[in-house]
Amino acid sequence: RFRIALSLAVNRDEINKLGFIGLGKPHAATSVKGDPYYMEEFAKAYIEYDPKRANKLLDEIGLTKRDKEGFRLRPDGKTLAITINIYPAETGMTPDVWELVRKYLEDIGIKVAIKLEDRSLWVTRTTAGESEIAGYGTTGMHWDVDPIWYVPTANTSYWAPLYGIWYATEGKGGEEPIPEIRELQKLYDQLKESTDPVKKLNLGRSILRSHARNIWYVGLINYPYPIVVKNNFRNVPKEGIVHDWRLVSPGYWNPEQFFIKEVK
């Protein structure tokens, strides 16, 4: 309920308008259209802007008392305060956008600090499990090849690095996952071993369904990367090119499909 409250507190339409000039689309942290495991219900899970409901959820879990500044108090009487560690280079989210996130969460009584770090420090702290909340981008395609985004299998599963270390070391390091997260790892083990396309589809969707129901981490905006192309450079798709730091669409691996139109 706490994570769902955080998701409902965020005004994604405003973030899209102010941070992405309206080019993006509010989206939960699940796969995108084009991914075989995609389902619209997953993408829309708890992305509506509903601070009233968010406040209600926080009240329900006992966070009803406030300090003199209006922030909620934890059960031990201390102010409920969180730090979001960011480095904006790869997330597409500028510090100004993260400041909007801070405002939304403070509106429901959670004190927030945005900490901008050097990339190397951010990676070191996050992979060691020292970040309370790590602000980062996620992937929406081909995650079954690189599962860290939805299944903690390595320390680079930034949303659950210690669980990832536990999986990677077969329990010798990190932290043993809670049952729900351990189930994700078991589902992925079955997914990578299965040769049945229908079974693989069901297993992959079971993993994403867990994210949609539990909001293991909060998604914000699915946004396109604009690509500038010269007018006489032809046969470039208008949209639908998949881009990832490890993956560029076949169009870019096969440049023979492009041609330059000579102007007479």
Side-chain angles (χ1 to χ4, degrees):
R1 285 179 292 182
F2 182 79
R3 293 187 300 272
I4 290 171
L6 297 188
S7 186
L8 293 172
V10 175
N11 188 339
R12 292 169 177 81
D13 287 329
E14 186 171 64
I15 288 177
N16 184 35
K17 179 180 178 181
L18 299 179
F20 300 95
I21 58 174
L23 293 176
K25 182 181 294 185
H27 208 283
T30 63
S31 66
V32 299
K33 287 183 178 179
D35 178 67
Y37 307 105
Y38 170 85
M39 292 188 73
E40 188 175 6
E41 65 184 84
F42 302 161
K44 291 185 175 181
Y46 302 109
I47 62 171
E48 63 271 25
Y49 178 48
D50 193 344
K52 183 177 180 180
R53 186 180 174 195
N55 275 307
K56 185 171 183 258
L57 286 170
L58 295 180
D59 289 343
E60 286 176 0
I61 60 178
L63 299 171
T64 56
K65 296 181 180 179
R66 306 258 183 162
D67 65 14
K68 61 182 180 181
E69 294 181 86
F71 295 117
R72 295 176 184 271
L73 296 176
R74 305 184 324 194
D76 62 4
K78 295 181 180 180
T79 298
L80 176 55
I82 59 176
T83 299
I84 302 177
N85 297 79
I86 65 168
Y87 80 92
E90 291 182 12
T91 67
M93 298 269 286
T94 65
D96 289 343
V97 172
W98 288 109
E99 284 299 322
L100 288 174
V101 173
R102 179 190 62 78
K103 174 184 177 300
Y104 303 140
L105 299 186
E106 292 195 342
D107 285 345
I108 60 170
I110 300 173
K111 191 173 184 178
V112 178
I114 305 297
K115 188 175 182 181
L116 181 63
E117 296 180 324
D118 173 76
R119 181 184 186 277
S120 59
L121 177 60
W122 184 96
V123 171
T124 299
R125 287 174 52 84
T126 301
T127 55
E130 296 177 358
S131 293
E132 290 182 335
I133 296 180
Y136 196 70
T138 189
T139 192
M141 298 280 289
H142 307 288
W143 62 268
D144 52 352
V145 178
D146 187 16
I148 59 172
W149 311 100
Y150 301 115
V151 183
T153 55
N155 66 347
T156 48
S157 292
Y158 296 135
W159 58 282
L162 299 186
Y163 293 163
I165 294 172
W166 185 92
Y167 178 91
T169 62
E170 298 182 339
K172 296 177 183 177
E175 182 178 312
E176 184 175 359
I178 59 174
E180 296 89 343
I181 299 297
R182 181 68 185 118
E183 180 63 20
L184 293 182
Q185 295 172 338
K186 291 178 180 178
L187 288 169
Y188 178 69
D189 286 339
Q190 296 177 58
L191 174 63
K192 67 182 180 181
E193 293 171 2
S194 177
T195 57
D196 183 339
V198 175
K199 184 178 180 181
K200 288 176 72 74
L201 184 65
N202 289 334
L203 288 167
R205 286 181 173 174
S206 292
I207 291 171
L208 295 183
R209 185 173 291 107
S210 176
H211 277 269
R213 288 176 176 173
N214 296 285
I215 308 298
W216 295 122
Y217 57 100
V218 179
L220 298 176
I221 297 290
N222 173 26
Y223 57 93
Y225 283 93
I227 299 174
V228 178
V229 180
K230 194 172 182 180
N231 288 341
N232 69 337
F233 191 70
R234 299 301 182 88
N235 209 26
V236 179
K238 290 185 177 180
E239 59 182 26
I241 294 176
V242 177
H243 175 75
D244 189 288
W245 71 282
R246 277 174 301 269
L247 172 72
V248 181
S249 74
Y252 283 92
W253 290 122
N254 299 283
E256 64 271 12
Q257 75 176 24
F258 301 136
F259 67 92
I260 296 174
K261 185 177 181 180
E262 295 183 7
V263 180
K264 295 181 180 180

